[in-house]
Amino acid sequence: MRTAYRLLLHLYPHDFRVWFAAEMTTAFEARAGECRARGRAVFLRFAIAELIGLLKGAAAEKAARIAADPAVRARSVPDLRMMRPPGITREAYFARVCVNAWRNRG
């Protein structure tokens, strides 16, 4: 179930996932644990409702992005893989990014 949830999260736009995927996954897993403890039928209803809600939410986000003004649509979270300061080698830049991510993971 967790794998299906994470796969369906990829239907959301990239910037939405960057901002909200971790929080959504944590909330889903906490609620899934509660429902699982209450029985198989409760968990099954929860799982179906969550997956349908995820599909609806992804469709709404995509529709909102398409309907938005082009100036707004172009705004998103920068892709760090595409941005590094001039004069810095790719290896040095990503080594630093990895070190910072490792330090801030907690």
Side-chain angles (χ1 to χ4, degrees), residues 35-46:
C35 290
R36 194 174 283 120
R38 293 175 53 201
R40 178 174 271 166
V42 172
F43 177 72
L44 188 59
R45 267 181 279 158
F46 163 75

Side-chain angles (χ1 to χ4, degrees), residues 9-91:
L9 272 177
H10 285 282
L11 296 174
Y12 281 85
H14 175 72
D15 60 331
F16 187 94
R17 286 193 322 267
V18 167
W19 287 103
F20 301 112
E23 183 179 349
M24 289 172 71
T25 303
T26 301
F28 170 78
E29 289 175 356
R31 184 71 177 133
E34 293 171 7
C35 290
R36 194 174 283 120
R38 293 175 53 201
R40 178 174 271 166
V42 172
F43 177 72
L44 188 59
R45 267 181 279 158
F46 163 75
I48 291 170
E50 275 300 307
L51 295 179
I52 290 171
L54 205 57
L55 289 171
K56 285 181 179 179
E61 278 299 314
K62 296 269 184 177
R65 178 156 302 213
I66 291 169
D69 184 77
V72 173
R73 197 174 344 155
R75 294 185 187 138
S76 64
V77 175
D79 186 354
L80 293 178
R81 296 170 296 186
M82 305 297 281
M83 299 173 53
R84 68 184 149 83
I88 304 293
T89 65
R90 178 170 290 172
E91 292 80 16

